Amino acid sequence: MKQLVAFDLDGTLAVSKQPIDAEMAALLARLTKRVAVAVMSGGDWPQFEAQLIGKLPASSDLARLFLLPTSGTKLYRYDTEWRLIYAEVLDPAERALITGALDTVIAALRLDSAPSWGARIEDRATQITFSALGQQAPPNAKRAWDPDFVRRKQIQAMLSPMIPGFAVRIGGSTSIDITRQGVDKGYGIVKLSQTAGISLGDIMFVGDALYPGGNDHAVMDAGVDAIPVRDIEETKRIIQTILLCSQSRPTRARAPAHCIE
């Protein structure tokens, strides 16, 4: 059995920008009693507070929970309160370069002609995120905007050569995440391994953007086993399987096929 299970947040544990539901919260609480758990997302710390932390039951073992906002460019741990362990903050010149390039792409592709629920460009200190419909767009509008990835891939292809030295990855259903090259979820998973004292081979990642160009794919490049999911219901089934297997503690010779080793 893996010693640590890491999850993406939006599209994996919760509907985009929505809180985790009661069933997911209960499953995560149970999981923290069996293995270390990490959540890594393109969202910043306030999003973690709204979507995850405030919904977890009191039975959760927070000392075994690692939180990595902005694609792993930050790490928080709990010790009587949540404490920032590290943050790879972009400097002002880097931020100006990225936001200027985004403004150019937005104008060229007329992305500002669509309705917007909040700001399209968000400076998250360690990451710049473009959300085509704004940060607070309703889930239905997000799902309808780019179901076949064509728009996001076009933005990615146009933006990448404009900002050499930075990683441009597809995030959520309408978003693009930009970090320093090499400072992404792959970087975050390596830092997590070092902080937790758990080898990369003993970590498993579950996410909905593990495809090439997705912001979860970098964890695979780092050498971590990963399971792609389509939605939160698939994630629930994976957690239920892990709980079942960790409870039975089968030997390798007798491990059921559905148990993850």
Side-chain angles (χ1 to χ4, degrees), residues 116-241:
S116 178
W117 289 265
R120 286 188 169 87
I121 300 175
E122 184 179 4
D123 184 342
R124 297 175 177 173
T126 57
Q127 172 183 291
I128 306 294
T129 295
F130 168 74
S131 297
L133 302 181
Q135 294 295 319
Q136 306 304 321
N140 287 343
K142 289 185 174 185
R143 283 192 292 267
W145 186 75
D146 187 30
D148 53 7
F149 290 79
V150 170
R151 286 175 164 173
R152 282 169 290 168
K153 287 181 178 179
Q154 184 182 26
I155 296 167
Q156 185 182 41
M158 187 172 179
L159 187 62
S160 292
M162 298 172 66
I163 48 173
F166 295 90
V168 180
R169 299 187 184 275
I170 295 172
S173 51
T174 66
S175 65
I176 299 289
D177 295 327
I178 302 114
T179 61
R180 290 190 187 115
Q181 191 72 47
V183 184
D184 52 20
K185 286 191 176 182
Y187 174 91
I189 209 79
V190 171
K191 293 283 283 188
L192 172 63
S193 169
Q194 295 168 348
T195 302
I198 296 173
S199 71
L200 291 171
D202 286 321
I203 297 174
M204 180 178 69
F205 185 88
V206 181
D208 70 322
L210 285 161
Y211 46 81
N215 70 351
D216 293 335
H217 191 267
V219 303
M220 299 173 66
D221 295 335
V224 170
D225 291 332
I227 300 177
V229 293
R230 289 175 295 184
D231 53 36
I232 64 174
E233 297 307 318
E234 283 196 351
T235 304
K236 289 176 182 178
R237 290 195 290 272
I238 289 169
I239 297 174
Q240 289 162 350
T241 300

Side-chain angles (χ1 to χ4, degrees), residues 26-157:
L27 285 169
L28 288 172
R30 290 175 58 195
L31 192 60
T32 62
K33 301 297 183 64
R34 303 291 177 82
V35 295
V37 175
V39 180
M40 186 184 306
S41 172
D44 206 351
W45 182 248
Q47 204 65 44
F48 274 70
E49 291 180 306
Q51 288 185 262
L52 180 67
I53 299 169
K55 303 301 177 183
L56 291 173
S59 58
S60 305
D61 188 348
L62 298 182
R64 302 184 76 184
L65 182 59
F66 299 80
L67 301 181
L68 297 99
T70 53
S71 302
T73 58
K74 298 177 184 177
L75 172 63
Y76 286 83
R77 293 209 64 187
Y78 188 82
D79 177 15
T80 68
E81 64 180 5
W82 287 103
R83 302 180 188 277
L84 179 64
I85 305 301
Y86 74 80
E88 299 290 347
V89 178
L90 298 168
D91 64 43
E94 289 174 316
R95 294 174 181 173
L97 175 65
I98 294 167
T99 55
L102 278 170
D103 286 337
T104 299
V105 171
I106 290 169
L109 299 179
R110 300 191 62 191
L111 297 171
D112 52 357
S113 62
S116 178
W117 289 265
R120 286 188 169 87
I121 300 175
E122 184 179 4
D123 184 342
R124 297 175 177 173
T126 57
Q127 172 183 291
I128 306 294
T129 295
F130 168 74
S131 297
L133 302 181
Q135 294 295 319
Q136 306 304 321
N140 287 343
K142 289 185 174 185
R143 283 192 292 267
W145 186 75
D146 187 30
D148 53 7
F149 290 79
V150 170
R151 286 175 164 173
R152 282 169 290 168
K153 287 181 178 179
Q154 184 182 26
I155 296 167
Q156 185 182 41

